[in-house]
Amino acid sequence: MIKLTVNGHEHKLETEPDTPLLYVLRDELALNGAKFGCGLGQCGACTVMLDGEAVFSCLTPLLLAAGKNVTTVEGLGTREAPGPLQRAFIEEQAAQCGYCIAGMMMRAQALLVKNSKPTDAEIRSAMEPNLCRCGTHMRILRAIKRAAALMKSAEAGAAGRARP
Ligand code: FES
Ligand code: FES
């Protein structure tokens, strides 16, 4: 049995340890945000976070994810209460066909966790492994910058509320 923590929930799985994490998320846990694009680590549609790092879930065997925290796009917020990245992508209308977007958001989230105020060049370089066939790149860039600003103001608000 393999224990897998996804978006803060623990799952006990009887799945073969070499099964790609992407298949486990989509087929067993009904988390369909991460997409199957190439299955070869070349497109980024399957990107999720593993202990804060962006990884291709199509190339990550289940065993490698066991005992770590997996975050998928479903962990960033809900339709009713979207998280900052989701809000920013909606506000910038950054999704065209949307197929790449969950992976884009997870790679962006991994960047923003490490670097809360990335420059354009840093965003471009961090996002390089993820491909979008629709050409919505400039909007994605703007959305990531908007998300950074939203996260910053949310933090400032929380700090303000915490002050006596
Ligand atoms: S499906 Fe994983 S990188 Fe393309
Ligand atoms: S929005 Fe269509 S592939 Fe990116």
Side-chain angles (χ1 to χ4, degrees):
M1 188 187 63
I2 294 177
K3 283 189 194 165
L4 186 69
T5 305
V6 185
N7 302 330
H9 299 286
E10 193 180 279
H11 303 273
K12 294 181 178 135
L13 302 162
E14 299 292 344
T15 314
E16 289 297 322
D18 60 349
T19 307
L21 176 61
L22 178 64
Y23 300 176
V24 176
L25 294 171
R26 294 181 56 85
D27 301 340
E28 301 200 34
L29 305 180
L31 292 167
N32 295 315
K35 300 286 186 278
F36 184 98
C38 61
L40 298 168
Q42 291 177 358
C43 72
C46 65
T47 305
V48 301
M49 275 166 55
L50 203 57
D51 277 354
E53 297 292 334
V55 297
F56 297 135
S57 63
C58 69
L59 294 186
T60 305
L62 173 60
L63 193 61
L64 209 75
K68 297 188 178 152
N69 287 306
V70 180
T71 311
T72 69
V73 72
E74 291 88 349
L76 296 184
T78 62
R79 185 183 289 266
E80 297 70 33
L85 251 180
Q86 293 167 318
R87 266 178 56 198
F89 270 72
I90 294 166
E91 286 164 8
E92 291 293 345
Q93 289 288 288
Q96 198 159 178
C97 81
Y99 201 80
C100 66
I101 294 298
M104 289 281 182
M105 279 198 272
M106 297 324 293
R107 190 164 297 277
Q109 178 77 6
L111 167 67
L112 293 175
V113 166
K114 290 201 185 95
N115 178 356
S116 60
K117 210 167 172 269
T119 61
D120 280 21
E122 286 168 336
I123 296 174
R124 284 170 192 269
S125 152
M127 298 303 291
E128 233 234 271
N130 286 47
L131 307 181
C132 168
R133 62 194 168 177
C134 306
T136 185
H137 303 82
M138 292 313 292
R139 292 182 184 204
I140 291 172
L141 194 105
R142 285 202 297 272
I144 295 171
K145 284 202 285 192
R146 183 185 279 257
L150 287 172
M151 287 174 185
K152 203 163 182 222
S153 64
E155 261 172 41
R161 283 193 298 281
R163 234 171 265 138

